[in-house]
Amino acid sequence: RIAAEILDHLAKPIDGPLAGKKAVVTAGPTREALDPVRYISNHSSGKQGYAIATALSRLGADVTLVSGPTSLPQPAGVNFVQVETAVQMLDAVKSELPSDIFISVAAVADWRPAEPSDVKIKAKTTKDGLGSITLVENPDILKTISHMKGKRPSLVVGFAAETNDVEDHAQGKLERKGCDWIVANDVSGDVMGGSENEIAIIKRDGIERLPRMDKSAVAQNLALRIAENFSTIKAK
Amino acid sequence: RIAAEILDHLAKPIDGPLAGKKAVVTAGPTREALDPVRYISNHSSGKQGYAIATALSRLGADVTLVSGPTSLPQPAGVNFVQVETAVQMLDAVKSELPSDIFISVAAVADWRPAEPSDVKIKAKTTKDGLGSITLVENPDILKTISHMKGKRPSLVVGFAAETNDVEDHAQGKLERKGCDWIVANDVSGDVMGGSENEIAIIKRDGIERLPRMDKSAVAQNLALRIAENFSTIKAK
């Protein structure tokens, strides 16, 4: 680990294109408790978010990775904050602001059980054998950060994991959330948990489609586009 | 892996006290899909069930381990069947019968979403910001196997992971399920996912409480009591 950190510091250019920029990246799933043993979660492995945090760091950015539960090792050279729920994730992101860049890669649960129980819930059956869980909406982290007054990062990027009508859903998400870019990916196949990804970057003025590639290559491509974005702003 | 299997075969006595007995063990959580990316699951790591499968094998039993999703390596010398849902787990156990021993260690979800969606569900809000998931009861694997006609294993053991009133709940479970023993453990602390466990073995004629110990020691203790059970029957 120490050797890895030294190598990482050597790999991180002091004068990289993102030197002096702070980035906050979220990754992984969130887990929303039903009771002390049961939860609602999703198949996100965290691989894409971890790779993006590393790629931004390699370009010189000061990166904080806010991660839900994953089985991945902490990337070296990146500040690491472990969380479990969507509410904890939003709190962790807010406490990292101000930041220049925010990238919301985590597969945040939209809903959580309304009243998680302190003790293991006993299964109760109605006449027709049905039960139900009442849910409340989780805070929308991407939308909240996109609308922060004063502290809004100058570049806010969301991910849209979709199984169908990927780009249409992503376009809608860009409008609804108020972020700058949406990275759309189709998770109908084996992307979640897999090592490859195929993305489209949707901006207000157009779409760029990237071919299917390794998640670390996706991360490097995205990090380079972010660096270009800042150099373009600087040049204006 | 090949070396490990050879070692295991050497470790497995041909004339062990459970030689000639077949055992089926379930382990890990089940995952019940809400849609292609989301699911309901629980914190079971599978460690205790995997350790029991190994311990029974070391005493000479022919063991099949039916496992939900875990991050553990497959134990050597044990037949391994991977499943995801409670319905799949019951089917897998049934197809392993007849068997002398059935041990239900898995943390099987009591309920599953009534209508899992083929596409990622869009969050919908009611006026008061509440949603709900309709659930249906999963098959009760322990109860089903305990009441099998003709093919019921001669020893059926259930686990009762409880956070409160552990032995009372376990006594009730023994009656309701119709199994022979219940192994009760208190999961209110760090047992789920942890390496130690503290159990009580509840039989129709009494309770035996074991001190807190490593999960592999718990497994060896339980396997020895199972072997004793069969030698007592033989001696009668």
Side-chain angles (χ1 to χ4, degrees), chain A residues 31 34-44 84 109-111 114 118-126 129-137 161-164 169 187 192, chain B residues 31 34-44 84 109-111 114 118-126 129-137 161-164 169 187 192:
Chain A
R31 271 188 192 165
L34 283 157
D35 64 27
V37 296
R38 284 175 275 210
Y39 58 82
I40 298 177
S41 191
N42 64 66
H43 294 287
S44 170
E84 179 139 332
D110 297 314
W111 299 83
D118 288 339
V119 297
K120 191 177 170 193
I121 302 165
K122 294 284 140 190
K124 284 189 200 90
T125 322
T126 61
L130 294 176
S132 72
I133 303 168
T134 305
L135 302 172
V136 288
E137 267 192 288
E162 302 291 349
T163 51
N164 54 315
H169 278 141
V187 295
M192 271 208 163
Chain B
R31 273 188 190 163
L34 284 157
D35 64 25
V37 296
R38 285 177 274 209
Y39 58 82
I40 299 179
S41 191
N42 63 67
H43 292 288
S44 171
E84 180 139 331
D110 297 315
W111 299 82
D118 289 339
V119 298
K120 192 178 169 191
I121 302 164
K122 295 283 141 191
K124 283 188 201 91
T125 321
T126 60
L130 294 176
S132 72
I133 303 169
T134 304
L135 302 172
V136 288
E137 268 192 287
E162 303 291 348
T163 51
N164 55 314
H169 278 141
V187 296
M192 271 206 162

Side-chain angles (χ1 to χ4, degrees), chain B residues 18-36:
Chain B
L18 288 173
K21 300 290 177 200
K22 181 168 177 188
V24 179
V25 179
T26 64
T30 65
R31 273 188 190 163
E32 310 294 336
L34 284 157
D35 64 25

Side-chain angles (χ1 to χ4, degrees), chain A residues 148-169:
Chain A
M148 291 289 283
K149 286 182 182 143
K151 285 189 184 171
R152 185 193 190 278
S154 60
L155 181 66
V156 176
V157 180
F159 266 64
E162 302 291 349
T163 51
N164 54 315
D165 305 324
V166 177
E167 289 180 12
D168 278 358
H169 278 141

Side-chain angles (χ1 to χ4, degrees), chain B residues 135-156:
Chain B
L135 302 172
V136 288
E137 268 192 287
N138 266 326
D140 186 326
I141 298 176
L142 180 58
K143 194 171 181 175
T144 303
I145 301 302
S146 293
H147 288 88
M148 291 287 282
K149 287 184 181 143
K151 284 187 184 173
R152 186 193 190 276
S154 59
L155 182 65
V156 177

